[in-house]
Amino acid sequence: MKLLSDLRLGARMAFSAGKDGHLRTALIALGTGLGVALLLLVASIPTALQSRSTRTDARQAQWADQGTRLGETLLVDGFGTTYHGTSVAGWAIWPEGPAAPLPPGVEALPGNGEIVVSPALRDLLRSSDGRLLVQRLGQPAIVGTIGDQGLLGPRELAFYLGDNSITSETADQRVPAFGQESPAEVYNATLQLLIIVITVVLLLPILICQAMATRFGGEARDRRMAALRLIGADRRMIRIMAVGEALVGAILGIALGWLIFLGGRQIVPLFSLSDISLYPSDLIPRTDLALLVMVLAVVLAAAAALTALRGVIIEPLGVTRIASQPRRRLWWRLIIPAAGLAALYPLFEGADPESGPPPAYQIVAGVILLLAGSVALLPWLVDRLVQALPTGPVAWHLAARQLRRNTATAVRFVNAVVIAVAGAIGLQLLFVAVQESNSADTSYDPNWATAMAHIVPVPGQPGNDFQQIVAQVQDIPGITVTSGVRRAWSTGDDSGDWNVPLLVGECADLAQYAKLGSCASGEVFLSRNPSTASINDQVGPGSVLHLFNGMGPEGEASIDWTVPRTARTVPQREDAVTTDGGNLSILATPAALDVAALRTLPIDLAVIHDPNDEDSLEHLRNVVVATNWYHSDVGVFKDRVEQDQFAKIRVGLYLGSVLTLLLLASSLLIGMLEQLRERRRLLSALVAAGARRSTLAWSVIWQSLIPITVGLALAVVFGIVLGAMLLRIVDLPLSVGWSAIAWSTLIAVGTILLVNTISIPPLLRLLRTDSLRVE
Amino acid sequence: MTAPAPVPVPSARAILTATGLRKTFGQTLALDHASISLAPGEIVAVMGPSGSGKSTLLHCLAGILRPDQGSVIYQGQDLTTLRDAARSTLRRTQFGFIFQFGQLVPELTCLENVALPLRMERVPRAEANRRATEELQRLAVEDVAGQRPGEISGGQGQRVAVARALVTRPRVIFADEPTGALDSLNGELVLRQLTATARETRASILLVTHEARVAAYSDREIVVRDGRTRDPLTAGAAA
Amino acid sequence: MSMGQTFLGLLEAGPRHGYDLKRAYDERFSHIRPVHFGQVYATLARLLKHGLVELDAVEAGEGPERKRYAVTEAGVADVDHWLARPEAPDPYLQNTLYTKVVLALLTGRSATDLLDLQRTEHLRLMRELTQRKANGDLIDHLICDHGLFHLEADLRWLELTAARLDDLAATLTPAGGTTTGRTIRA
Ligand SMILES: Nc1ncnc2c1ncn2[C@@H]1O[C@H](COP(=O)(O)OP(=O)(O)OP(=O)(O)O)[C@@H](O)[C@H]1O
Ligand SMILES: [Mg+2]
């Protein structure tokens, strides 16, 4: 077929285009490959989520029902915990008979005091880092590992602990079988936003780089096409050939992309993020998305090739470049970022985590338009600058002239850098803010508490006396107890329509929850949230309340109690942690009621832990879970580990920026050298005419530095705007992380200096008079 | 001198006739009332000082440039009214081109370059290569068949270009300073082979040159001066 | 006149009859205008007189064509001497062509037409030479090229003159004088 043979001819040119041509094809392939790999990764997210939920379902325990033969069940107690900031999924199990089901991935049930663990947990328990966890689990003997099919991910920490003390009465569940469909996990809207923005921000420069690479050797290609026109190729054939040429790069790129993706997949198990880790086999691009990615790569390559032809009329006699329009208008350049802002604006306030993810397409469009706006403004600004700047030395003068003559070319190489840096800044700002909001809830006062231990002592067990527990926690090195209260609940009657928490503690302890004013033993306070209007008016001085300890059937105890007439209403402390989001709580000193009658009460200990001693929290947890494993818990307000994790991700992002910029730098370098070669004759002629080489070298350097400087300034502005927009969308306060901006800019400046440095020797070589001989 | 430009006698014998061509490039009037006629198998030299419009005339005749005024009739078809695709087809099938330099595709080997017009006409590869090899042999450059244009001498390159222009057995060959970049000996070789083959295949040649020694290979010459064609015979009569 | 030295050179290859000499000379050096027999014998007689050739053998019968000539040592020396002496460049200044051009200008006639006509005439001859070259041997090539280059030189001068007509007209005629016949582009 004619079309095919023309395509083939174009492809043939790509292969035989000499050293420059090969370099160009390689760059197109590399750009395409990186883009394809990234997109394949994104295309794998749905399958990864799918397989994760399949894995979740597989180990979901079924509930016993009438049909269940109770002797053939497995008793299961939830035994999950957190260790060094990572959650550990765990269950205590004990079979009710020989036919008890095995959890997925477990070959044999552990005996009493034995444990079956995931490979990652096994490694942890065996290392010195896991010392406190071993202690918490009761020094169990590891008798087996959980197979892949029983784990959510390769880095998951999970265990099944054999425990013969579980009885069918106390067990959470009597499990006849594993495997049950559960509602799909809802992913955090912010996380989705991050994924979308990361993808766009990484992808855009890669795409630009690919488009730029398509233009390499443009002059030679145009000349070649003109030669073909002469012997009778019509415009259509020329276009098809150009596409054929670009397709070679695209197809190589797709192959390379798959290689990168499949290779990268193998190292995925080494990483875990927010307790999520993935098996390589879980990362399979969804077929339709993978096809879409490949078609996209081909279409983009073809489009880039055709666009490169657009500015050029290839006639048989040679190439006429359409002169760039002399006047650069500002208004349409402003429309592009404005359109981006307009696309993002409706998303403001609209994205609370419950209402589902923000619309991806709108975000993608907004981000792309906003970033494209920076690139649209660049030539205009450079033009303006060059005209406005005072005339300086000869080198400067030459550079300015050259820039004015051909701003488009000079700016083209900077575009990708501008977008990459602006995107990186926007992303980093978003990340800094998310990191801060995730790791420190700003409404809590860190001097009040950094962690909260909720302890639910087992009724009737020795050593669970309130004072004893407080003393034990107080003894942990690195932990200071700032407030210890016991908690009961109160209702007006037995209807259970409402209940109000009642905190029992000494004045000092209670003062952490409300602004008490004066306080003496025996006093009672009604603590109200001053910012909420609705107030439970059934509770007031003199109300008769029913108090209970909420400990379940065995430990249940309750008394009737009248709120003293002297009870004062006091405002809640805004910076205090109210473990119940209620508007009202009753604060009572121990003398105000008969605490002993309520027997065992849950304990809330607010503590401050030493941020530099991550084991202090683990010690605390060990103490807390010893009282009652699965009802006691430690909540951490400011988690250093979590912060470390974010810091790691940010380093990863910087690394990504560096890699992107290096890719850009290589194409930048090639572009620069190509420009130099094209201007060789002119430069050499100037040298021959007596111009100093240093002058010319400087003119070339100025020529690339001016647009870069303007570009970076634009990138900073647009990056901040982008970051601000994204923060508004996820409803976080804007805090300009200057260090993030500085880092991103520094990395870009470094890359560009590198390119300039590398291009100086060839420049000087070019400027030797004897290179005139060439041509 | 105000004598009107001579209009070629419309002749049934002519394969290519241009009448009253006018072409401007911006302010420059490159062609003005230029006329010329080419009989089958005829070799016509176009001479004249630099910048007089010789190349422009050739480009108009070959359908590469569209004149502002006038007509170019090739075998009854007016090239000035044809679409780009049709003119491209004519270039591919009916015309051959030899320029001073640079018309070979640097990425392809010499053999591929010569076979290219045939391949564009969907001649099977083997057949195209066979004919291209034959043509290279005729011009005594078969030993550079596997090399790229950048790796051979100017004279060899020009002979390869001639081979490529001839391989489709074109009816009209347009040669613009075909020996301009060659020394006398190589120029002569190229011209001899070009004209001999043209005579053999009864192809016409429009030979643009400012060298009389090159023009001497023609059957007659046309002079272009300031964009006007002057047929010396009729001009002499008019004077 | 160098016909004498040319004969001597031709005889260096071996003795020849006068008729052979003429044929060889015509073939190589005077293809377009063959020399007259009379001139050949006059030259040979002169050479004989100066002792540069000698009669090699006289065959039976009368008439110059029966004589065979051979070169003497003095003759060889004379060829050596001739070849070693540079030729004075011919200035061609009194060329008829030049005269015609200047005259045409002075009398207000179209010099351009004159030049074009002359070019046609030159090209006619050049085509002939080119044609001969195509069919001839190496010697033909050399002869024809010689002619071609000289003719081309004439034409180059014509072209240059055409280009300079404006200047020429200005020097030859008083200011505001006759037009040169050159069309001046708008
Ligand atoms: N693409 C173009 N754009 C502008 N002017 C042009 C273009 N092509 C030719 N010209 C002008 O048209 C006139 C005729 O040019 P043309 O190339 O035909 O001359 P020529 O006779 O071929 O000269 P030469 O012998 O130097 O090749 C010149 O004045 C030239 O400057
Ligand atoms: Mg020309």
Side-chain angles (χ1 to χ4, degrees):
Chain A
M1 235 185 84
K2 185 90 182 87
L3 182 75
L4 280 183
S5 80
D6 286 349
L7 276 176
R8 254 209 313 271
L9 190 59
R12 171 86 183 74
M13 308 263 182
F15 278 121
S16 52
K19 212 172 75 201
D20 284 1
H22 289 157
L23 199 61
R24 178 164 65 107
T25 309
L27 263 177
I28 296 178
L30 186 62
T32 314
L34 287 176
V36 165
L38 184 63
L39 283 177
L40 285 178
L41 184 66
V42 175
S44 309
I45 290 179
T47 31
L49 294 182
Q50 179 59 47
S51 81
R52 190 175 160 80
S53 88
T54 311
R55 288 167 178 283
T56 311
D57 292 353
R59 75 177 184 200
Q60 195 81 26
Q62 289 176 9
W63 292 95
D65 55 25
Q66 284 90 337
T68 307
R69 309 252 297 268
L70 287 177
E72 298 171 4
T73 46
L74 186 70
L75 299 175
V76 175
D77 266 355
F79 239 58
T81 184
T82 304
Y83 191 71
H84 285 174
T86 310
S87 41
V88 183
W91 297 269
I93 54 176
W94 196 251
E96 285 196 280
L102 286 173
V106 174
E107 277 167 17
L109 290 176
N112 190 34
E114 292 177 342
I115 195 168
V116 178
V117 295
S118 68
L121 182 58
R122 181 192 56 205
D123 296 345
L124 177 62
L125 291 180
R126 286 186 179 161
S127 73
S128 59
D129 278 351
R131 189 174 40 89
L132 290 172
L133 186 57
V134 175
Q135 208 178 341
R136 190 179 311 167
L137 294 171
Q139 318 272 0
I142 298 175
V143 294
T145 48
I146 307 173
D148 288 352
Q149 70 271 32
L151 295 173
L152 299 191
R155 308 294 300 173
E156 188 185 29
L157 302 177
F159 64 86
Y160 292 98
L161 179 66
D163 181 357
N164 64 4
S165 66
I166 314 177
T167 63
S168 51
E169 286 75 39
T170 59
D172 278 354
Q173 260 180 289
R174 305 174 76 180
V175 176
F178 286 90
Q180 166 138 316
E181 255 184 54
S182 55
E185 271 178 273
V186 179
Y187 280 87
N188 188 324
T190 312
L191 190 65
Q192 293 209 353
L193 183 71
L194 273 178
I195 290 177
I196 291 174
V197 176
I198 289 176
T199 311
V200 171
V201 162
L202 285 180
L203 206 58
L204 264 189
I206 292 176
L207 287 183
I208 295 182
C209 177
Q210 188 206 350
M212 226 158 79
T214 315
R215 285 180 190 244
F216 286 148
E219 310 269 331
R221 202 250 327 260
D222 295 347
R223 274 198 293 275
R224 168 167 79 245
M225 293 303 186
L228 287 170
R229 280 286 277 153
L230 179 66
I231 56 167
D234 55 33
R235 293 199 188 96
R236 189 173 148 273
M237 288 163 76
I238 291 296
R239 282 199 287 267
I240 294 173
M241 279 183 218
V243 168
E245 209 175 327
L247 284 191
V248 172
I251 287 168
L252 285 178
I254 290 175
L256 183 68
W258 275 102
L259 280 181
I260 296 175
F261 172 73
L262 293 178
R265 211 167 68 151
Q266 296 309 313
I267 59 165
V268 155
L270 300 179
F271 303 98
S272 83
L273 172 57
S274 302
D275 297 338
I276 294 176
S277 58
L278 294 169
Y279 286 105
S281 56
D282 288 348
L283 272 180
I284 299 165
R286 224 170 71 191
T287 317
D288 54 341
L289 292 180
L291 281 177
L292 185 70
V293 167
M294 291 190 279
V295 169
L296 206 69
V298 168
V299 168
L300 279 178
L306 291 179
T307 332
L309 281 186
R310 210 174 50 92
V312 159
I313 313 169
I314 294 177
E315 284 303 333
L317 290 181
V319 182
T320 323
R321 212 155 276 289
I322 296 174
S324 56
Q325 74 256 44
R327 271 185 59 76
R328 301 184 180 280
R329 299 194 178 282
L330 180 59
W331 63 268
W332 69 262
R333 291 166 195 278
L334 286 174
I335 283 184
I336 297 175
L341 290 183
L344 293 179
Y345 184 77
L347 304 175
F348 287 1
E349 336 270 343
D352 57 315
E354 280 80 41
S355 72
Y361 295 110
Q362 207 170 337
I363 290 178
V364 170
V367 172
I368 289 180
L369 282 172
L370 197 59
L371 290 179
S374 65
V375 170
L377 279 173
L378 186 56
W380 183 83
L381 263 182
V382 171
D383 254 14
R384 274 299 131 99
L385 189 75
V386 168
Q387 277 172 33
L389 281 176
T391 48
V394 183
W396 173 270
H397 188 68
L398 277 174
R401 265 299 133 83
Q402 188 62 26
L403 275 177
R404 277 177 72 171
R405 202 176 66 81
N406 199 350
T407 321
T409 319
V411 158
R412 192 160 66 219
F413 293 104
V414 182
N415 285 344
V417 177
V418 172
I419 287 204
V421 174
I425 290 178
L427 198 57
Q428 293 278 356
L429 289 185
L430 177 63
F431 230 86
V432 170
V434 171
Q435 173 182 6
E436 274 168 10
S437 80
N438 264 34
S439 49
D441 195 323
T442 45
S443 65
Y444 300 150
D445 177 1
N447 294 320
W448 189 92
T450 56
M452 191 83 158
H454 306 288
I455 301 167
V456 185
V458 180
Q461 215 172 67
N464 62 10
D465 171 67
F466 174 64
Q467 306 300 343
Q468 255 178 299
I469 289 175
V470 172
Q472 218 180 329
V473 171
Q474 195 72 268
D475 281 350
I476 300 172
I479 296 281
T480 317
V481 177
T482 56
S483 164
V485 297
R486 280 166 287 177
R487 173 181 296 259
W489 281 266
S490 62
T491 57
D493 47 39
D494 286 335
S495 71
D497 278 351
W498 53 269
N499 59 58
V500 170
L502 178 124
L503 306 184
V504 184
E506 302 299 338
C507 283
D509 297 317
L510 295 180
Q512 301 285 358
Y513 290 89
K515 295 167 185 149
L516 302 181
S518 68
C519 170
S521 183
E523 270 199 272
V524 172
F525 306 90
L526 297 171
S527 159
R528 288 185 191 282
N529 183 346
S531 59
T532 8
S534 99
I535 286 168
N536 187 331
D537 51 9
Q538 302 182 49
V539 181
S543 310
V544 176
L545 297 176
H546 181 72
L547 304 186
F548 58 99
N549 65 358
M551 294 307 284
E554 322 126 75
E556 182 74 62
S558 61
I559 55 170
D560 288 328
W561 180 64
T562 309
V563 181
R565 296 257 161 226
T566 55
R568 274 190 290 134
T569 300
V570 292
Q572 233 169 46
R573 270 177 64 155
E574 288 133 47
D575 55 0
V577 184
T578 48
T579 45
D580 23 40
N583 304 316
L584 177 70
S585 49
I586 304 167
L587 310 178
T589 47
L593 70 160
D594 182 5
V595 186
L598 283 168
R599 301 209 294 221
T600 315
L601 282 174
I603 301 165
D604 283 357
L605 291 182
V607 302
I608 293 176
H609 71 278
D610 179 357
N612 296 316
D613 179 8
E614 53 176 20
D615 277 348
S616 62
L617 271 179
E618 301 313 325
H619 279 293
L620 174 64
R621 285 200 177 97
N622 281 2
V623 168
V624 167
V625 298
T627 60
N628 179 340
W629 186 294
Y630 57 70
H631 286 139
S632 301
D633 186 18
V634 175
V636 180
F637 305 148
K638 197 172 173 73
D639 193 330
R640 245 183 74 84
V641 177
E642 184 102 328
Q643 251 188 334
D644 283 352
Q645 216 177 36
F646 270 93
K648 265 189 228 153
I649 298 174
R650 280 185 58 195
V651 170
L653 277 182
Y654 281 129
L655 258 172
S657 301
V658 170
L659 280 182
T660 317
L661 280 170
L662 277 183
L663 177 71
L664 293 179
S666 56
S667 51
L668 210 67
L669 187 63
I670 294 174
M672 190 140 167
L673 291 182
E674 193 177 276
Q675 258 183 309
L676 280 183
R677 263 206 306 277
E678 262 155 29
R679 299 190 55 214
R680 161 195 289 168
R681 264 172 74 111
L682 176 70
L683 290 173
S684 313
L686 282 171
V687 171
R692 243 187 268 122
R693 286 209 283 160
S694 66
T695 307
L696 292 179
W698 271 111
S699 87
V700 172
I701 291 171
W702 277 127
Q703 209 178 312
S704 80
L705 278 188
I706 294 173
I708 289 271
T709 313
V710 177
L712 284 183
L714 267 177
V716 169
V717 172
F718 274 82
I720 293 177
V721 171
L722 176 66
M725 293 290 116
L726 296 176
L727 288 177
R728 280 303 298 273
I729 290 174
V730 293
D731 223 0
L732 286 173
L734 171 65
S735 59
V736 179
W738 289 111
S739 78
I741 293 174
W743 269 109
S744 307
T745 318
L746 267 181
I747 289 171
V749 168
T751 316
I752 286 149
L753 284 183
L754 184 75
V755 169
N756 267 306
T757 316
I758 295 179
S759 66
I760 283 178
L763 169 65
L764 291 180
R765 212 168 333 118
L766 259 180
L767 289 180
R768 280 207 305 266
T769 327
D770 55 3
S771 68
L772 251 182
R773 212 169 36 82
V774 190
E775 311 226 11
Chain B
M1 200 203 75
T2 50
V7 176
V9 189
S11 152
R13 250 172 41 84
I15 184 170
L16 184 63
T17 310
T19 334
L21 295 184
R22 182 187 168 89
K23 177 79 189 171
T24 51
F25 295 105
Q27 296 296 311
T28 316
L29 182 61
L31 280 186
D32 189 14
H33 295 294
S35 301
I36 191 173
S37 171
L38 219 61
E42 191 183 27
I43 303 179
V44 175
V46 178
M47 303 190 70
S50 182
S52 57
K54 304 183 294 291
S55 299
T56 309
L57 177 65
L58 178 138
H59 296 147
C60 286
L61 283 170
I64 294 175
L65 282 179
R66 202 191 287 273
D68 304 335
Q69 264 175 37
S71 64
V72 179
I73 311 287
Y74 172 75
Q75 296 199 328
Q77 271 178 309
D78 191 345
L79 297 194
T80 59
T81 61
L82 287 184
R83 306 254 318 275
D84 173 68
R87 281 183 286 135
S88 297
T89 310
L90 271 186
R91 281 204 300 279
R92 217 157 55 225
T93 57
Q94 307 285 305
F95 299 164
F97 293 90
I98 306 157
F99 288 170
Q100 191 167 344
F101 49 70
Q103 68 267 38
L104 294 178
V105 181
E107 284 78 10
L108 301 180
T109 64
C110 290
L111 181 66
E112 285 170 323
N113 259 295
V114 176
L116 192 56
L118 296 173
R119 301 281 295 131
M120 286 211 276
E121 271 306 293
R122 273 173 279 179
V123 175
R125 180 189 294 273
E127 168 70 4
N129 282 353
R130 192 187 60 73
R131 279 165 64 181
T133 311
E134 225 174 77
E135 211 59 50
L136 286 172
Q137 273 164 356
R138 189 207 290 269
L139 286 147
V141 276
E142 70 271 26
D143 42 336
V144 299
Q147 274 152 290
R148 303 248 166 86
E151 304 160 355
I152 58 177
S153 80
Q156 289 169 324
Q158 210 56 1
R159 273 184 274 169
V160 172
V162 172
R164 192 185 64 182
L166 293 173
V167 75
T168 53
R169 294 284 168 268
R171 300 318 311 142
V172 184
I173 296 164
F174 296 91
D176 193 348
E177 306 280 10
T179 60
L182 302 182
D183 65 14
S184 306
L185 191 59
N186 270 300
E188 200 180 300
L189 279 172
V190 166
L191 272 174
R192 258 222 318 270
Q193 282 152 341
L194 171 66
T195 48
T197 316
R199 301 252 186 247
E200 221 173 279
T201 59
R202 280 192 56 75
S204 312
I205 303 183
L206 191 79
L207 182 61
V208 168
T209 181
H210 62 264
E211 281 182 88
R213 265 180 314 118
V214 174
Y217 283 87
S218 65
D219 298 325
R220 68 186 167 91
E221 78 278 2
I222 291 281
V223 179
V224 183
R225 182 160 288 145
D226 292 334
R228 288 165 186 269
T229 46
R230 291 159 58 93
D231 195 326
L233 296 171
T234 41
Chain C
M1 202 62 214
S2 61
M3 195 185 281
Q5 280 86 0
T6 314
F7 281 4
L8 291 175
L10 287 173
L11 284 176
E12 274 188 31
R16 288 175 191 256
H17 293 285
Y19 177 74
D20 288 342
L21 263 182
K22 172 193 150 45
R23 274 235 319 260
Y25 183 89
D26 281 352
E27 194 173 289
R28 287 175 192 173
F29 304 109
S30 189
H31 204 104
I32 298 169
R33 240 178 298 139
V35 287
H36 289 294
F37 272 112
Q39 205 179 349
V40 172
Y41 290 115
T43 306
L44 283 172
R46 185 167 49 84
L47 295 176
L48 204 56
K49 199 175 90 194
H50 288 98
L52 301 175
V53 297
E54 56 191 14
L55 283 179
D56 178 50
V58 181
E59 285 160 26
E62 273 304 303
E65 62 268 28
R66 292 288 165 241
K67 291 180 186 149
R68 242 161 55 128
Y69 298 86
V71 67
T72 63
E73 269 182 29
V76 175
D78 189 58
V79 174
D80 282 346
H81 181 70
W82 181 63
L83 285 179
R85 193 182 65 217
E87 286 297 305
D90 193 342
Y92 289 112
L93 281 180
Q94 294 307 313
N95 196 296
T96 335
L97 213 48
Y98 173 78
T99 319
K100 275 188 168 180
V101 169
V102 174
L103 207 65
L105 282 170
L106 284 173
T107 55
R109 289 187 173 84
S110 166
T112 321
D113 286 344
L114 188 148
L115 295 176
D116 279 351
L117 264 178
Q118 192 57 50
R119 177 182 8 232
T120 310
E121 201 48 36
H122 264 66
L123 271 178
R124 205 182 46 70
L125 183 56
M126 288 177 78
R127 281 197 188 97
E128 222 169 85
L129 291 177
T130 306
Q131 188 63 37
R132 243 183 75 195
K133 209 164 70 166
N135 308 329
D137 60 3
L138 179 65
I139 297 298
D140 280 316
H141 264 79
L142 298 183
I143 293 171
C144 295
D145 278 341
H146 186 71
L148 282 168
F149 276 100
H150 276 94
L151 289 166
E152 186 181 31
D154 278 351
L155 276 179
R156 285 225 182 125
W157 177 77
L158 281 173
E159 298 282 2
L160 189 63
T161 306
R164 286 215 179 122
L165 277 183
D166 276 336
D167 298 344
L168 208 56
T171 38
L172 291 179
T173 57
T178 50
T179 62
T180 59
R182 172 153 194 224
T183 358
I184 297 160
R185 222 182 297 167

